Amino acid sequence: MKASVEMNLSQHDFFEYLTQSLMIDIFKNSDEFKNKNEIKKGLCYRKIFRRSGKDLEGHVELIEFIKPERCLSKIQLNSNISHVGYKIEKIDEDHIHVTYTETFDSTKKFHVWNYKVMSFILYYFNLKKMKRMLMAMEYHILNKEESI
């Protein structure tokens, strides 16, 4: 699944937001503080996912982390592997084009087929949800800058 949005942000501001989000996520899940210089390709940490009232332990790994253009992470939860990525293209100093991608794979074929069928059925709603998420990120970054 892929969603693209143009934003009224600089490439640097959006990537800083992604980096800070990763730092917060790592701290919440491992009580270990990482500074910006430690966030790089190959970084791994454990994360607790709460689904349907159950706590599941997964592993998150940064596959690609190219400042300020691209961030790709792999999330492994039991036999399921998801890839979540952001590609940030600079239009000009204050405008960017962000492409958010999400892929899913599993060792269990039923999970793969279930994902494909549900993605096909819910494509429109998932795409709308992803675009709203990206617009909410833009709104948050812009309001954070205004309050400083």
Side-chain angles (χ1 to χ4, degrees):
M1 173 130 261
K2 185 187 281 191
S4 295
V5 172
E6 285 190 15
M7 296 184 176
N8 297 323
L9 296 170
S10 71
Q11 196 177 27
H12 174 75
D13 289 343
F14 187 79
F15 204 82
E16 282 295 310
Y17 177 79
L18 288 179
T19 305
Q20 288 176 358
S21 295
L22 274 168
M23 290 168 50
I24 291 167
D25 194 44
I26 292 168
F27 183 72
K28 281 183 178 178
N29 287 287
S30 66
D31 291 331
E32 184 179 331
F33 179 76
K34 299 278 186 189
N35 64 32
K36 289 181 186 179
N37 298 330
E38 294 176 299
I39 307 292
K40 57 187 174 186
K41 178 181 175 180
L43 176 70
C44 297
Y45 65 97
R46 292 180 185 196
K47 181 174 178 159
I48 303 296
F49 295 91
R50 288 173 181 78
R51 296 223 172 114
S52 305
K54 294 180 184 178
D55 286 350
L56 302 170
E57 186 177 312
H59 298 279
V60 179
E61 178 184 357
L62 283 179
I63 303 280
E64 209 173 351
F65 197 75
I66 303 169
K67 293 180 183 179
E69 300 168 358
R70 183 181 282 276
C71 179
L72 177 67
S73 60
K74 177 176 92 170
I75 303 164
Q76 187 164 3
L77 189 63
N78 297 332
S79 62
N80 302 332
I81 298 172
S82 298
H83 289 89
V84 175
Y86 294 90
K87 182 179 178 187
I88 307 145
E89 298 168 351
K90 184 177 179 179
I91 297 172
D92 60 34
E93 288 301 316
D94 295 326
H95 296 86
I96 57 174
H97 185 263
V98 177
T99 304
Y100 173 82
T101 55
E102 220 177 68
T103 60
F104 176 82
D105 198 15
S106 178
T107 56
K108 298 178 180 178
K109 295 298 177 196
F110 176 75
H111 289 179
V112 173
W113 281 104
N114 183 50
Y115 176 79
K116 287 180 180 181
V117 169
M118 294 308 290
S119 292
F120 178 74
I121 293 170
L122 300 173
Y123 176 79
Y124 173 77
F125 300 104
N126 287 338
L127 182 63
K128 199 171 176 180
K129 182 178 165 186
M130 285 182 192
K131 285 186 177 184
R132 263 188 280 162
M133 176 196 67
L134 290 169
M135 288 187 286
M137 290 169 75
E138 176 187 23
Y139 179 78
H140 179 73
I141 295 167
L142 288 172
N143 286 334
K144 187 176 179 184
E145 285 180 359
E146 290 174 5
S147 66
I148 292 177

